[in-house]
Amino acid sequence: MYQRFPKDAPIVQKYGGTSVGDAQRIKDVAARLARQHREGWSKLAVVVSARSGETNRLVEMVREVSPKAVEGGPAYDMALAAGEQVSVALLTAALEAEGVPAQPLLAYKLDIRTDSAHAKARIRSIDSAQIHAGWERGRVAVVAGFQGVTDDQELTTLGRGGSDTSAVALAVALDAAFCEINTDVDGVFTADPRLVPEARLIEQLDYETALEMASLGSKVLHPRCVELGAKWRMPLVVRNTFTPDHHRRTWLMPQSDSQTQPIEALAVSGVTLDRAIARVTLTGVPRERGAIAEVFGRLGELGVNVDVIVHDRVDADGSMRVGFTVAKSDLEQAKSAVRELAAERGYTGLQATAETGLAKVSAVGVGMRSYAGVAGRTFRALAAKDIDIRMISTSEIKISVVVDDKAAEAAVRALHAEFVTG
Ligand code: ADP
Ligand code: ASP
Ligand code: MG
């Protein structure tokens, strides 16, 4: 892919946790960059994640001292950002050992400015002047993913998996030719290849499907990196760090730039699994107008994303029962928001109960718009495997079902067999 561009085209490469997982792997990444640098690629910027397992270890360390400090405070973000800092230092050292001058850059150096929503901060701007100055002097920029700084100079993190988003945001700021996401699989597959061995590599993917797949749990790309790619028409390529450069990969690019679009899309491009969900059931919701709107309004203000919603029934006392799913990490916040609202508004019967042990399985595809019967096939395929559906939601381009977590992997395989390989 590099052949398509002049050697002075800015290129951003991102390496995920496994790609920099140990000393040898860091040296291998440095060797690849050194080769490209020697070949004359003069505008390389590399974004690195923490080494695999490192961020989880840091989360545990925070939990050990303060179970309540999790997700949402400056201390939590400061601890988590340390993992990327170490990777930047190690890759810089490895590049220098290869004889390549490198410039280590943490978020404050590039002024990767975010809002102050700790643990899920959004990038507002990046000042790339230092990278341009470094390139003039023949240096490779090595940038910490996942982290940012607020207006008050506090460290923030972008949400788990957020280094992908750092990389695409940097690619946009640098007006890069493309952003290469180097990971531990060949690209985006029709399902997680670790769960579904017969999953197929998707060589070209539109941003819309990729965004839906990422949002619904396919972990290979952080949803916001796809959103940014689409917004700024930044081509993204996902490839395997551990295979040679001519190997298979996935391209995401604006439709008009791709050369081999199939004439008609399949109904379903991919099947995804999200195990990090919980169900909240609200009981005693007063039937007076606006009570439901108030609950969801409050959750929205707090940044809690509400997904599958079922408006269950009216109970004997005339109050309503409503169920919805949230990310597990938002569960406590969702429950306390409901408690607070109930107290403030005097909704004495309003209660939120939580259920975990669930998973959301989705079939995604823009082709679904023009195919009938996707819902029927989904239900039949799951029923044939005796899998109970607990909740359902559909849109034009996806159908999601909530099932017991124990049945989740079987459900992914059933839907993949039905729509992709069947
Ligand atoms: P990195 O550390 O490089 O960011 P991640 O672990 O975040 O890598 O994402 C890569 C993983 O995503 C793969 O190892 C794979 O198991 C998982 N995955 C889930 N769904 C998909 C999919 N549809 N295609 C490819 N990989 C997927
Ligand atoms: N290190 C962070 C995480 O584990 C960010 C990333 O890997 O993208 O979530
Ligand atoms: Mg990742």
Side-chain angles (χ1 to χ4, degrees), residues 103-105 108-110 127-135 139 141:
Q103 186 184 23
L105 296 162
Y108 75 92
K109 279 248 188 177
L110 291 178
D127 179 359
S128 57
Q130 292 220 27
I131 295 184
H132 289 283
W135 284 341
R139 300 168 92 185

Side-chain angles (χ1 to χ4, degrees), residues 55-71 76 79-80:
T55 311
N56 289 345
R57 195 177 70 86
L58 295 165
V59 171
E60 263 326 295
M61 283 166 68
V62 180
R63 289 218 169 109
E64 273 167 25
V65 293
S66 166
K68 288 230 157 80
V70 286
E71 308 205 14
Y76 175 87
L80 262 66

Side-chain angles (χ1 to χ4, degrees), residues 14-19 49 161 164 181-185 187-194 213 217-221 271-272:
K14 177 254 171 179
Y15 292 88
T18 7
S19 306
S49 293
D164 297 333
I181 307 285
N182 294 278
T183 183
D184 56 5
V185 286
V188 182
F189 284 75
T190 50
D192 186 340
R194 291 179 210 286
M213 285 179 70
S218 113
K219 181 176 160 214
V220 60
L221 291 172
V271 178
T272 63

Side-chain angles (χ1 to χ4, degrees), residues 71-292:
E71 308 205 14
Y76 175 87
D77 276 357
M78 189 182 283
L80 262 66
E84 272 66 18
Q85 171 164 342
V86 173
S87 293
V88 166
L90 296 179
L91 183 59
T92 302
L95 279 166
E96 282 170 356
E98 286 276 348
V100 175
Q103 186 184 23
L105 296 162
L106 301 183
Y108 75 92
K109 279 248 188 177
L110 291 178
D111 198 5
I112 303 180
R113 194 69 69 90
T114 69
D115 60 23
S116 55
H118 286 285
K120 49 182 163 190
R122 285 184 172 261
I123 299 177
R124 289 193 180 135
S125 59
I126 299 180
D127 179 359
S128 57
Q130 292 220 27
I131 295 184
H132 289 283
W135 284 341
E136 292 295 313
R137 296 166 53 203
R139 300 168 92 185
V140 171
V142 183
V143 179
F146 188 49
Q147 51 176 253
V149 287
T150 66
D151 294 342
D152 300 328
Q153 310 291 299
E154 296 218 51
L155 274 168
T156 51
T157 61
L158 309 183
R160 298 303 305 271
S163 293
D164 297 333
T165 297
S166 306
V168 179
L170 185 65
V172 170
L174 293 168
D175 199 13
F178 61 90
C179 180
E180 182 186 88
I181 307 285
N182 294 278
T183 183
D184 56 5
V185 286
D186 289 347
V188 182
F189 284 75
T190 50
D192 186 340
R194 291 179 210 286
L195 292 183
V196 184
E198 62 276 16
R200 297 178 185 155
L201 180 73
I202 309 174
E203 288 181 15
Q204 264 185 39
L205 188 57
D206 58 282
Y207 295 111
E208 194 182 5
T209 310
L211 179 57
E212 200 73 7
M213 285 179 70
S215 310
L216 291 168
S218 113
K219 181 176 160 214
V220 60
L221 291 172
H222 193 236
R224 278 159 45 203
C225 95
V226 184
E227 218 169 74
L228 274 178
K231 177 169 175 197
W232 296 93
R233 299 176 67 83
M234 174 57 62
L236 311 186
V237 56
V238 186
R239 69 177 283 281
N240 197 327
T241 309
F242 307 108
T243 56
D245 269 327
H246 57 261
H247 209 265
R248 318 184 306 149
R249 57 180 55 81
T250 298
W251 271 105
L252 265 84
M253 61 179 82
Q255 292 279 356
S256 53
D257 297 353
S258 61
Q259 293 151 356
T260 54
Q261 278 299 311
I263 295 177
E264 291 217 68
L266 288 173
V268 169
S269 307
V271 178
T272 63
L273 169 61
D274 186 351
R275 305 190 108 135
I277 63 155
R279 177 189 167 124
V280 177
T281 304
L282 301 176
T283 48
V285 183
R287 286 177 76 185
E288 70 189 59
R289 288 163 84 121
I292 292 186

